[in-house]
Amino acid sequence: MSWSSRLAALLPGTVARDTGGTEPDPRFTFANERTFLAWSRTALALVVAGLGIVQLLPPFPRVPAGRHLLGVPLIALGAVLAVVAYTEWVRNQHALRRGEPLPQSIMPWILAATITGMAVISAIVLLISALG
Amino acid sequence: MTTPQAPWPAGGPQRGHEQDEAGDDPEEIAGLARERTSLAWTRTAISFAALGGVVLKANVLTGLIILAVVPVIWHLGRVTRGSVTGTSLSVIGPRRLFIIAVTIAAVALLCLIVAIFGQAVPGALR
């Protein structure tokens, strides 16, 4: 499948016209929707955290770009997470309609990798500003 | 207490089944799922408001834009509050969630601009 047709399959109009399988139990549809909303809030929380770091923290001594180094990736991740959450919702709904097993989600991996990366960057920034 | 009206036309949980136990009624369980979803929508709207509040401190105009989004988000969750019935959830679902995803991505980009070019409040947490 080409990239453009993959993107077209994600548009809400295409998803709404999906008539494969049967309409799933509304409880499952609601659960899928709540999962999406929970990821959306996670994305918003990352944006708030990133903005808070850049705007509210005092600058790190000896690391002038330290706040931006920590905050900007968090905000960017928030944008990525929101979009991926929607694609995951589409995939889950597709599987629910057909009674297939739910696809493996990559979102926990993205989140864990980013938190690990941010922790490492934070430690480095703190060490440089304390010892440098 | 009235059970919220089921939004699905057919093919949903089996109707006409007698209730095995109290609280086992599929419609009642779907009503609870609907209520949890409604609360999730409310929390999402509150999260937008919280973000708007933080951004307001950094850049008033951007903050106001984000705060203006809050009632829109809350309105998108109306389906889960039972005022829209008889419409298949799968038809109205994708558009609402797509709007949310696009809004968050746009808001994140706005915040990125504010974070990079905005005037930082030096040591506001000092």
Side-chain angles (χ1 to χ4, degrees):
Chain A
M1 222 184 348
S2 72
W3 276 109
S4 55
S5 64
R6 267 187 208 210
L7 275 179
L10 287 173
L11 289 177
T14 321
V15 179
R17 278 194 300 274
D18 179 13
T19 50
T22 54
E23 180 65 28
D25 186 328
R27 279 173 283 169
F28 299 157
T29 305
F30 278 135
N32 193 15
E33 188 166 317
R34 283 198 299 280
T35 308
F36 166 80
L37 289 171
W39 278 111
S40 300
R41 288 195 298 277
T42 309
L44 284 173
L46 288 172
V47 176
V48 172
L51 205 62
I53 288 172
V54 173
Q55 291 287 329
L56 302 179
L57 276 191
F60 294 101
R62 282 177 291 274
V63 192
R67 292 181 300 174
H68 287 81
L69 212 56
L70 293 174
V72 169
L74 283 178
I75 300 175
L77 181 75
V80 171
L81 224 48
V83 174
V84 178
Y86 174 74
T87 67
E88 294 277 323
W89 179 86
V90 171
R91 284 170 64 204
N92 285 338
Q93 203 64 17
H94 187 270
L96 280 176
R97 286 192 72 92
R98 287 155 182 80
E100 292 165 3
L102 292 182
Q104 190 90 37
S105 172
I106 54 162
M107 301 194 63
W109 188 89
I110 297 178
L111 193 61
T114 312
I115 293 176
T116 310
M118 295 311 298
V120 171
I121 297 176
S122 305
I124 293 173
V125 168
L126 278 179
L127 274 178
I128 294 176
S129 80
L131 307 172
Chain B
M1 187 198 140
T2 54
T3 321
Q5 206 184 330
W8 57 93
Q14 295 80 18
R15 308 284 199 91
H17 272 207
E18 65 271 7
Q19 228 168 294
D20 317 275
E21 287 167 42
D24 241 11
D25 178 12
E27 280 206 23
E28 193 175 314
I29 296 171
L32 293 176
R34 176 195 279 269
E35 192 168 331
R36 283 197 297 279
T37 313
S38 160
L39 289 169
W41 275 99
T42 308
R43 285 198 298 277
T44 309
I46 292 174
S47 299
F48 265 97
L51 175 64
V54 172
V55 176
L56 209 53
K57 214 165 155 50
N59 185 305
V60 176
L61 181 64
T62 317
L64 287 178
I65 292 174
I66 296 174
L67 284 178
V69 169
V70 174
V72 178
I73 303 295
W74 200 76
H75 186 66
L76 285 176
R78 72 195 180 281
V79 184
T80 58
R81 286 187 289 273
S83 56
V84 174
T85 49
T87 320
S88 173
L89 267 180
S90 64
V91 174
I92 43 181
R95 199 173 56 240
R96 291 175 301 142
L97 304 192
F98 185 76
I99 292 173
I100 297 276
V102 170
T103 307
I104 295 179
V107 161
L109 291 182
L110 271 182
C111 291
L112 208 55
I113 294 170
V114 169
I116 293 176
F117 300 106
Q119 194 71 39
V121 189
L125 283 186
R126 205 192 295 268

